[in-house]
Amino acid sequence: MLKRKFAGSELIVLDFYDPGKHTEVSIRKAREVYPPFPGTLNVNTGSLPLEDELANKVFAIFLAHEIRDHVERIAFFKEMGRILAPFHWGSVFSGQHG
């Protein structure tokens, strides 16, 4: 859906899931139902393998609330900020369910 909405943009999909750290049953069940998007990169929440100021938009869909550790969540949002284009051009969209 995002690929269609932002036609012509490069879509980079990152997956930070670590079964040792992210142990919620809901995550495991969702992963059984919805396999990763083709070409998804496995990453660490505190060190995203992307250049500074690379992205105009970052979508954190159904995921940020699954980072239960406060320090890890802060590191993840800092990384999203690092990869965003500066000033008003960069935007983070975070959507949760329920």
Side-chain angles (χ1 to χ4, degrees), residues 24-52:
E24 297 296 317
V25 174
S26 60
I27 299 172
R28 184 177 42 80
K29 287 182 178 181
R31 294 181 71 80
E32 290 171 2
V33 176
Y34 302 103
F37 187 79
T40 296
L41 302 173
N42 291 317
V43 300
N44 179 301
T45 50
S47 179
L48 301 178
L50 300 172
E51 299 172 31
D52 292 356

Side-chain angles (χ1 to χ4, degrees), residues 2-20:
L2 290 175
K3 188 72 169 162
R4 287 192 310 267
K5 174 87 174 154
F6 299 101
S9 297
E10 180 182 5
L11 177 65
I12 301 170
V13 181
L14 308 176
D15 181 3
F16 66 77
Y17 176 65
D18 177 343

Side-chain angles (χ1 to χ4, degrees), residues 32-96:
E32 290 171 2
V33 176
Y34 302 103
F37 187 79
T40 296
L41 302 173
N42 291 317
V43 300
N44 179 301
T45 50
S47 179
L48 301 178
L50 300 172
E51 299 172 31
D52 292 356
E53 302 178 359
L54 172 73
N56 289 325
K57 296 187 180 9
V58 173
F59 294 87
I61 303 170
F62 303 128
L63 62 86
H65 70 286
E66 298 294 358
I67 303 173
R68 306 299 174 149
D69 181 80
H70 181 72
V71 172
E72 180 185 10
R73 187 177 309 122
I74 289 171
F76 179 62
F77 276 93
K78 282 183 178 180
E79 277 295 282
M80 287 194 293
R82 179 187 63 76
I83 66 171
L84 277 172
F87 309 112
H88 66 279
W89 296 110
S91 301
V92 172
F93 300 89
S94 181
Q96 309 306 323

